[in-house]
Amino acid sequence: MALDVKSPVDDECLEKGVRHLCELGVTRVPRKYVLPAAERPSLGSGAARVQSHLEDLSAGSVAINLPIVDLAELEGPNRENALKSLAAACSEHGFFQLINHGIPDELIGAMIDVSRRFFELPFSERSRYMTSDITAPVRYGTSFNQRNDGVYCWRDFLKLGCHPLRQYLPFWPCSPIDLREAVGSYAKHTRSLFLKLAGGIVESLGISPSSSSSSWGGIMRELQEGSQLLVMNCYPSCPQPELTLGMPPHSDYGFLTLLLQDGVAGLQVQQQGRWVDVQPFKGSFVVNVGDHLEIFSNGKYKSVLHRVVVNSSVSRISAASLHSLPFSSAVRPAPELVDEQHPRMFKDTDFSTFLNYLNSCEAKSKNFLESRKLVS
């Protein structure tokens, strides 16, 4: 029997996630997912437009044109120009498309495919990995910060700790049977890509890798040993997409995020106070500045608010690879970027401070980063 919003949907049912609700045949969005009117996506957003663009996602003039960074140029004779492009992208937009990244198309396809098949597993299989412990090496869950969310998001996720891989791999799901192999290979490739990109980003801040007195070597050693979290997201088709969000407005906590999308629109970035769509660009990664990089750059590079809208026609799959310093390390502004004209803007910040914040309140917008500021 299909459920609608008038039918009682108990908390236990909601805790099992959006896929479970869809499997029960929900026909209207339960109240727990309905946003206040002022926070709902507008009818002209990607949630509505996606219906007419499923066959040609590049169509339409409403999508933002993110800056394009070519990794091949960053590693070639045009490195200086590529560094300037990277600096402009991180300071002016906080997001960019990365092309010629070197990760094989077959591996990208396998990552999306195995992610989709995991979320298609029976609930009894998926639920083996459900936990409220946000430090668990593997966690299947729903919404954004489920423990504290006042309104739930139309999203289920699988979070996998990835570095060091040998430490986390034994905890990963065994189903689908090829998940460990496909995701493990993808995690190694994205980690290598992140380190190449991070080296360029640090250099683009004017921190020279050739100077023995610069902080380039120190931050790169930290990132080499740093954390990697792979988040596989499922946004099922939604009967009333105008009432809810796949993810609320937020910035990412870490240093950099590399986002892989399946070709279905949904990501939106806030620009000049309004939400604009980021259409999937085949063969590229969407890369965004995280809070840690904003702190390290002393505010020169900005983490930007973004959110996810859903649609009523088709589910969306994405995979976000989040990279930062080791959990035991603190990030602070680079000494080269602090002087009389540019006073230190942020307190030292470590992972335990972030976890305490997550456990104590509903994470919204850039509230955590704002709490770490020294100057306004």
Side-chain angles (χ1 to χ4, degrees), residues 192-220:
S192 175
L193 175 59
F194 159 71
L195 290 171
K196 293 176 184 177
L197 194 54
I201 285 174
V202 174
E203 188 176 349
S204 76
L205 284 164
I207 300 173
S208 172
S210 60
S211 171
S212 59
S213 62
S214 83
S215 55
W216 192 92
I219 188 65
M220 291 308 299

Side-chain angles (χ1 to χ4, degrees), residues 35 98 130 271 276 284 322 351 366 372-373:
L35 288 162
L98 183 68
M130 293 193 92
Q271 278 205 340
V276 292
S284 76
L322 294 92
F351 190 64
K366 292 179 67 171
R372 307 308 298 165
K373 280 191 173 180

Side-chain angles (χ1 to χ4, degrees), residues 256-279:
L256 277 183
T257 299
L258 280 64
L259 179 70
L260 176 64
Q261 304 177 83
D262 69 350
V264 177
L267 176 65
Q268 293 187 330
V269 174
Q270 191 174 75
Q271 278 205 340
Q272 299 177 343
R274 64 189 184 97
W275 292 103
V276 292
D277 297 329
V278 177
Q279 296 286 16

